[in-house]
Every structure is written in C-alpha cells, then in structure tokens.
Amino acid sequence: MNEELERSAEIAVRDCLGVKAGEQVLIIVDERQRELGPPLYRAARRAGAEALLVEMPSRENHGEEPPPVIAAAMAAADVVFMPTSKSLSHTRARREAGDRGARIASMPMITPEIMARTLSADYRAID
C-alpha cells in the first residue's frame, strides 16, 4: 500500500494541482486521516515546494471551521491539500484561501485505499 500511496500523492501534487518549485504547500490532516499526510508532504518537497504538514483534531461535523492558526496558514498558501475525515470545503477558511488564489484539493473521508485506487490514474492520458 505504501508504494501506491506514494504514487498517488505524486500524481495529486504534480498532475492534479500542478505544484511548482518555491510554492507554499499546506497539507491538513486530522487524527483519523494522519496516514495520508506524509506521502503528500514528501511529494510536495520533491516538487521543490516549501511544504508544511499540520494535524488538527478531527471535527465533529462537515463544514466546521479549522483552528484559527490553520485558517491563517490556508490563507497564506499557494496550494492546500485537505485529506480530512470531515469536509472543510464549505468553511470560511477554505473560501478565503480560494479568494486569495490558493489551489485547493478537498478530500473529505478519503482513505488510503481510495487514494491509492482513484489518484493513481494517468491524468495526462485521460486528458
């Protein structure tokens, strides 16, 4: 599974969000999804990005705001990956980051198995 996760993270970073050298990349995980953060972090670093991996307490409900320090980091990032157990898509923090131009991948409820299976596609061939 580790190889599949690493490959999927590489595809997510390179092909899906087009991370470039020097960009600020934030990866937000929660306690339930912590396994997904390190592969994304390593892929972002290989792309030459200044990557930051943060773990927050799992939220009770979809749309619940992240802690203020994470919201501030989102607003400062060029790219944000959010593989969390509850969706952050409809939060003020996500909207503000998007309004500032961040490219954002919301990945609520994703599991290692789902990530390995669905993000391992050759998106260039599909295009």
Side-chain angles (χ1 to χ4, degrees):
M1 176 62 71
N2 285 342
E3 281 184 33
E4 292 92 357
L5 278 179
E6 293 294 328
R7 177 172 151 66
S8 295
E10 190 73 32
I11 290 168
V13 165
R14 181 190 64 224
D15 298 340
C16 296
L17 289 186
V19 173
K20 294 172 185 51
E23 287 191 305
Q24 302 292 308
V25 175
L26 177 65
I27 301 122
I28 304 166
V29 297
D30 59 24
E31 296 158 321
R32 297 178 193 143
Q33 305 299 86
R34 69 172 46 118
E35 180 180 356
L36 301 175
L40 288 165
Y41 174 83
R42 289 189 290 271
R45 293 290 297 144
R46 283 192 297 274
E50 183 73 34
L52 180 64
L53 171 60
V54 296
E55 180 180 315
M56 67 179 191
S58 300
R59 295 330 217 189
E60 293 291 321
N61 300 298
H62 295 291
E64 188 176 337
E65 292 294 327
V69 68
I70 291 179
M74 291 171 71
D78 298 305
V79 176
V80 182
F81 288 94
M82 304 182 304
T84 53
S85 58
K86 299 292 183 183
S87 177
L88 299 175
S89 297
H90 300 288
T91 62
R92 183 176 56 255
R94 198 275 315 146
R95 282 191 303 279
E96 289 176 3
D99 288 348
R100 290 173 150 272
R103 300 187 308 281
I104 302 169
S106 182
M107 307 158 84
M109 302 181 293
I110 194 167
T111 65
E113 294 78 21
I114 291 171
M115 184 170 162
R117 187 181 81 245
T118 61
L119 288 176
S120 62
D122 183 344
Y123 289 93
R124 291 179 183 153
I126 291 169
D127 186 42

